[in-house]
């Protein structure tokens, strides 16, 4: 009896131990969540789902109503966010069906719940509501035009418009005008979100012409016009690509090329595409659009798809175009070096226009000089466009200075051009027939071709639609200082382009200067800020600059493939040459460059999403009706969604922040749940990793920023990157309203205001991980002030909003806008901030107040030459900036070799004078001194602290001959001092002080 009882107890103990060990070793159960269907623009249906862990590719089992079930495999493997597209020929649009998803995980099948859906495009169940949208078409050239093509994207509020057929276009007198309308995207309920409208417009030099989109109300649509296209024109155009080894490749319309046609009431378009005959790795496409006014707009593109990273191209040319005059040739070899040859006479130009006129034809190449090198020529046999013209002997000087080499000629390779794998080259040229060429003045026609029309709605309408989020139009008298400051810095950003040489066949649209020598690649989303500012203000310059940036990203920076797999990364971060360069970092010409980061020479893709910015591309693609920009943004964001969610890792807070912003924008613009599920993966990871007590993400210390023996214990956060994460969580919370995300946002705000903030400098720390390395106030929180105002609205606690306002009043810089990153960093949140402040009844701030800086007053025996009072300038163009504390204003952008400034001044008494300069520089800088036409030597300014952003960065230095002051012999009366940039480095100048010596 006792033995039996003991045996039973022993067995129970064994069972308990076994169960305990089994429970201890058991993995968390895996599951499939949020299965959803989504209608693609093609009419196909995508099934999307998320798994709790990374799983091998799954399968979708589809059961159409009344038909046999079928399976489709997932193409991508080892994902957390999954998707399968059901072809329309397998499941016809409008067909009810059910679907479930299955995976094999650890040798067992995991299945989802059953989902019921209807295949095909979304159908709005309601009816179109009455609407009237005013569109204005301004004349940018000042010269009226007739029957000119317009193509614009128009947003609609949710639930207003059911379909494009419910829209008609009328003029100011109410007469229906011919128009072509296309649904670009829809709201989740199926109503139209973006409508693309094309129509012929007339303009007036005295003011914008108004047109109106309104509901049809039973009005019949105008009869469709007769087809306009001439296919033989495209059949005659062919491309010739010549490699540096002499091989030639051709692109032409033939039996193997694909072509399609679209005929509407206002245009007739033919698109033909194929591969180069000799190399299937080169793809080409031509799209010709014929309009009733006699103009043919031809958009072309070539794309290289090859495993070989680069290939040296000698030249590429489109040939077979109609003749536009005999012996007519124009070229642009460098940014400011163009040539024109006509009737045997050659003329030097600064900027060639790419405009040929003759033989009842006009040929115009858009953005001709801006995309140098370029060429266009015509003779009796026809015309041609040199996309990459043959470079003349001696074109490239091996002794080219290092800055120019890095900025302008990184693409030079063996006498030709370095064409990279997966890079796109595109452009537009226009052919005008006799109806335009013979009836228009050449100057007027060039002005019209150079400045296309755009039909825009009012800022009030744009903002009311809700398409752009919580922003508001500019309101007179409301936060006017901030509005003016944003516009001023945008102007400085744009005006800096020519000084910074931001032109060239690979450069145009991007900005230069990240880390001094890298191209920006849209960092901090210049495109998005430009799009929002255009919507808020109605100013076309924002739209133009944002469009250039978006097109550059689409063609140069974006990594594309033509197979079924997606690349690990789709974006090249800021690099020399945008996507890397053949230049070698150990080139001796680069040794003297300050702050030079040799690591950026490599070609690497952003696999963590910390430098990928797609929000503006979605908006700009829709505003312009440019499907290529829009689809590229979709492709890039989907690649991030699939690949980054495998581990949801981030080594710095901004990687998760930009990922969230991109995914939420993609979801809001496409309605595709794949993007929302990807965002949810990262949002959950952020909540999991956030310290619940401090609110910090507790990131490990960067190895390059901590050499302490105990660095493994150094954990903290980077406030500037936390600001990016905070905005990403806010965008996500606006969609989901998840309580855990709300809590995380407030915790981040609290941490930034306490642990991440230095009250002594009123700046954010760069990092809080290592107190020895970088726990100092260095960062002005311009990119996160809107987030503090949002938390103030979210919690009802005014301290967060007051924190944002205090920093506006305390330190928003007057002179940012030097490069795109600085402009977007400091003003990227301004559209949201202005609206949030107005909602919280804040309509005025004390800053920025343009306080007049008092000029320094000379003492007896002194002469002060204010920098801004220079009498002559050669070799460049400086800018005058107000940077407290300076005397008056200071000279900036004095950064080109040979750029000289002169001051002419009156001396009351002849004698010997010492000379001192008050300056600021971020690198050693040399200036050659010339007095009354006589060179006095070159002086080096070694002490450098910065470009005068803070008082401590300004230095006063007396020029010396050894240890003694260098003395100038000045005559009584008028004298002249000239300073010449002798090194190519920048030096900002406040004033020159002359003191008479006894």
């Amino acid at each position: 009896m006792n033995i039996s009882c003991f045996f039973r107890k022993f067995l129970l103990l064994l069972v308990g131990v076994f169960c305990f060990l089994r429970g201890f070793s058991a993995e968390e159960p895996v599951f499939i969540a949020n299965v959803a269907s989504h209608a693609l623009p093609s009419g196909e249906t995508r099934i999307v789902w998320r798994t709790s862990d990374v799983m091998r590719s799954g399968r979708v089992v589809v059961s159409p109503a009344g038909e046999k079930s079928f399976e489709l495999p997932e193409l991508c493997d080892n994902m957390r966010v999954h998707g399968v597209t059901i072809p329309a020929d397998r499941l016809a649009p409008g067909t009810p069906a059910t679907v479930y998803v299955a995976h094999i995980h650890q040798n067992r099948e995991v299945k989802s719940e059953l989902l019921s859906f209807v295949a095909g495009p979304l159908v709005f169940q309601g009816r179109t509501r009455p609407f009237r949208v005013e569109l204005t078409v301004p004349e940018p050239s000042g010269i009226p035009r007739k029957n000119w093509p317009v193509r614009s994207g128009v947003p609609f509020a949710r639930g207003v418009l059911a379909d494009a057929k419910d829209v008609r276009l009328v003029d100011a007198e109410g007469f229906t005008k011919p128009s072509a309308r296309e649904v670009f995207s829809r709201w989740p309920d199926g109503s139209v979100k973006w409508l693309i409208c094309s129509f012929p417009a007339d303009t007036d030099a005295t003011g914008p012409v108004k047109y109106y989109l309104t509901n049809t109300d039973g009005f019949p649509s105008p009869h469709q016009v007769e087809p306009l296209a001439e296919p033989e024109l495209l059949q005659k155009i062919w491309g010739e690509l010549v490699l540096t080894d002499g091989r030639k490749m051709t692109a032409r319309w033939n039996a193997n090329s694909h072509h399609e046609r679209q005929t509407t009431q206002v245009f007739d378009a033919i698109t033909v595409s194929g591969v180069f005959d000799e190399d299937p790795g080169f793809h080409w496409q031509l799209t010709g659009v014929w309009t009733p006014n006699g103009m043919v707009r031809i958009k072309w593109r070539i794309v290289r798809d090859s495993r070989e990273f680069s290939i040296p191209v000698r030249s590429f040319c489109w040939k077979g175009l109609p003749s536009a005059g005999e012996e007519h040739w124009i070229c642009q070899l460098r940014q400011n070096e163009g040539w024109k040859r006509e009737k045997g006479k050659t003329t030097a130009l600064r900027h060639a226009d790419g405009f040929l006129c003759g033989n009842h034809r006009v040929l115009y190449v858009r953005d001709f000089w801006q995309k140098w090198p370029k060429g266009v020529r015509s003779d009796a046999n026809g015309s041609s466009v040199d996309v990459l013209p043959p470079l003349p002997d001696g074109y490239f000087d091996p002794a080219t200075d290092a800055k120019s080499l890095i900025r302008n000629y990184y693409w030079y390779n063996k006498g030709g051009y370095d064409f990279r794998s997966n890079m796109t080259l595109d452009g537009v040229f226009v052919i005008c027939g006799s109806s335009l060429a013979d009836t228009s003045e050449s100057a007027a026609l060039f002005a019209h071709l150079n400045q296309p029309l755009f039909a825009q709605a009012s800022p009030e309408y744009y903002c009311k639609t809700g398409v752009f989020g919580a922003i508001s139009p500019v309101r007179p008298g409301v936060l006017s200082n901030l509005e003016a400051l944003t516009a001023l810095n945008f102007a400085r950003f744009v005006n800096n382009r020519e000084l910074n040489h931001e032109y060239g066949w690979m450069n145009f649209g991007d900005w230069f200067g990240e880390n001094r020598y890298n191209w920006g690649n849209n960092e901090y989303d210049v495109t998005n800020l430009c799009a929002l500012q255009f919507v808020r203000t109605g100013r076309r310059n924002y739209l133009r600059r944002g469009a250039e940036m978006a097109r550059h990203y689409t063609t140069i920076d974006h990594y594309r493939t033509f197979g079924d797999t997606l690349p690990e990364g789709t974006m090249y971060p800021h690099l020399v040459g945008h996507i890397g360069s053949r230049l070698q970092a150990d080139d001796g010409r680069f040794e003297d460059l300050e702050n030079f980061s040799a690591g950026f020479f490599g070609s690497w893709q952003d696999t963590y999403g910390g430098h990928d910015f797609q929000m503006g591309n979605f908006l700009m693609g829709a505003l312009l009706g440019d499907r290529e920009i829009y689809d590229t943004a979709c492709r890039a964001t989907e690649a991030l969604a699939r690949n980054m969610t495998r581990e949801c890792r981030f080594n710095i807070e901004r990687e998760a922040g930009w990922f969230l912003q991109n995914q939420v924008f993609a979801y809001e613009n496409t309605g595709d749940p794949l993007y929302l599920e990807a965002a949810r993966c990262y949002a959950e990871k952020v909540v999991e990793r956030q310290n619940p007590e401090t609110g910090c993400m507790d990131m490990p210390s960067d190895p390059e920023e901590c050499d302490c023996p105990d660095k493994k214990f150094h954990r903290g956060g980077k406030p500037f990157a936390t600001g990016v994460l905070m905005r990403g969580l806010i965008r996500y919370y606006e969609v989901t309203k998840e309580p855990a995300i709300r809590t995380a946002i407030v915790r981040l705000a609290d941490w930034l205001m306490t642990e991440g903030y230095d009250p002594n400098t009123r700046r954010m720390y760069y990092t809080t991980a290592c107190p020895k390395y970088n726990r100092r106030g260095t960062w002005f929180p311009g990119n996160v002030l809107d987030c503090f105002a949002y938390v103030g609205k979210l919690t009802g606690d005014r301290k967060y909003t007051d924190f944002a306002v205090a920093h506006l009043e305390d330190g928003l810089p007057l002179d940012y806008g030097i490069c795109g990153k600085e402009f977007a960093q400091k003003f990227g949140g301004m559209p949201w901030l202005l609206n949030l402040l107005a909602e919280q009844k804040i309509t005025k701030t004390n800053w920025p107040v343009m306080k007049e800086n008092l000029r320094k007053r000379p003492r007896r025996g002194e002469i002060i030459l204010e920098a801004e009072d220079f009498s002559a300038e050669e070799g460049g163009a400086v800018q005058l900036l107000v940077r407290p504390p300076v005397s008056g204003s200071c000279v900036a952008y004095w950064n080109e070799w040979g750029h000289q400034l002169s001051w002419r001044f009156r001396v009351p008494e002849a004698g010997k004078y010492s000379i001192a300069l008050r300056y600021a520089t971020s690198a050693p800088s040399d200036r050659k001194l010339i007095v009354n036409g006589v060179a006095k030597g070159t002086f080096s300014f070694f002490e450098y602290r910065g470009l005068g952003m803070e008082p401590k960065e300004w230095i006063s230095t007396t020029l010396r001959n050894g240890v003694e002051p260098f003395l100038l012999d000045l005559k009584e009366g008028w004298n002249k001092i000239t300073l010449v940039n002798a090194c190519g480095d920048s030096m900002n100048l406040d004033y020159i002080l002359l003191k008479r010596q006894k």
Side-chain angles (χ1 to χ4, degrees), residues 187-221:
W187 291 94
D189 65 355
S191 60
V192 175
K193 188 171 191 175
W194 279 100
L195 182 79
I196 308 303
C197 188
S198 303
F199 61 95
D202 299 337
T203 64
D204 191 333
T206 61
V209 176
K210 296 185 183 300
Y211 294 88
Y212 300 88
L213 290 177
T214 184
N215 46 303
T216 55
D217 289 335
F219 280 82
S221 298

Side-chain angles (χ1 to χ4, degrees), residues 132-140 150-155 169 194-195 197 199 201 208-213 452-463 468 531 533-544 623-624:
R132 184 178 175 85
V133 182
E134 180 182 275
L135 300 178
T136 62
V137 182
E139 178 49 73
V150 175
R151 178 179 174 86
S152 301
V154 182
L169 180 78
W194 279 100
L195 182 79
C197 188
F199 61 95
V209 176
K210 296 185 183 300
Y211 294 88
Y212 300 88
L213 290 177
L453 297 179
F454 184 83
Q456 60 192 75
S458 67
E460 290 74 19
Y461 174 80
Y462 281 133
C463 295
F468 303 94
Q533 281 298 98
F534 164 71
V535 165
R536 297 185 60 253
T537 67
R539 295 175 183 170
R540 287 278 303 279
N541 53 352
Y542 286 112
L543 180 71
R544 186 184 310 112
L623 279 166
L624 300 174

Side-chain angles (χ1 to χ4, degrees), residues 145-151 199-201 266 291 293 295 452-454:
R145 62 184 98 181
K146 295 287 185 182
N147 208 29
W148 204 266
V150 175
R151 178 179 174 86
F199 61 95
V266 296
T291 53
N293 68 341
M295 183 172 74
L453 297 179
F454 184 83

Side-chain angles (χ1 to χ4, degrees), residues 727-856:
R727 183 175 288 137
L729 288 175
I730 288 172
R731 299 285 91 88
Y732 177 77
Y733 177 75
E734 288 175 328
V735 173
T736 65
K737 302 300 182 184
E738 295 175 15
I741 303 303
R742 182 187 187 279
T743 300
I745 292 169
V746 177
R747 284 175 176 169
L748 287 179
D750 289 336
W751 178 81
L752 282 171
M753 290 173 60
T754 54
E755 297 299 316
Y757 179 65
D758 180 3
N760 296 319
T761 63
R762 295 183 64 82
R763 294 290 188 270
M764 293 291 182
Y765 298 120
Y766 173 72
T767 179
T768 64
C770 175
K772 170 186 171 183
Y773 180 80
N774 233 5
R775 192 182 176 97
R776 60 179 184 266
T778 59
W779 169 63
F780 170 73
N783 72 331
V784 72
L785 295 182
D786 61 301
C787 297
F788 285 113
Y790 182 89
V791 176
K793 176 184 175 182
L794 185 68
T795 62
D797 191 335
R798 185 62 182 259
K799 72 177 182 182
Y800 301 102
T801 304
D802 289 344
F803 183 83
V805 172
H807 281 81
L808 281 173
E809 296 174 346
D810 176 66
L812 189 62
L814 286 171
D815 54 354
Y816 272 93
I818 295 172
C819 72
K821 180 177 181 178
E822 290 172 322
F823 175 60
Q825 263 190 329
K826 299 303 182 291
F827 295 92
M830 194 63 72
W832 295 298
L833 176 63
L834 290 165
N835 184 65
L836 285 163
L837 293 181
E839 285 183 341
Q840 296 176 63
K841 310 302 182 184
I842 300 172
T843 59
K844 290 184 179 180
T845 65
N846 296 329
W847 180 225
V849 177
M850 298 289 190
K851 297 179 179 178
E852 181 183 358
N853 282 340
L854 298 179
R855 292 190 172 211
K856 182 176 175 63

Side-chain angles (χ1 to χ4, degrees), residues 196-268:
I196 308 303
C197 188
S198 303
F199 61 95
D202 299 337
T203 64
D204 191 333
T206 61
V209 176
K210 296 185 183 300
Y211 294 88
Y212 300 88
L213 290 177
T214 184
N215 46 303
T216 55
D217 289 335
F219 280 82
S221 298
H223 294 294
Q224 190 154 299
V225 298
E226 292 295 322
L228 301 166
E230 306 168 27
E232 59 272 16
L233 176 63
L234 289 185
Q235 291 169 354
K236 292 177 182 178
I237 298 175
W238 61 285
E240 180 183 71
L241 189 143
V242 182
L243 304 183
T244 53
D245 62 8
R247 284 183 293 162
K248 293 184 178 180
M249 293 181 257
T250 55
R252 64 177 77 242
W253 185 323
N254 55 34
N256 296 322
S257 57
H258 173 75
H259 61 276
E260 57 187 38
R261 186 167 185 169
Q262 180 186 12
T263 303
T264 73
Q265 296 176 19
V266 296
F267 66 84
D268 199 0

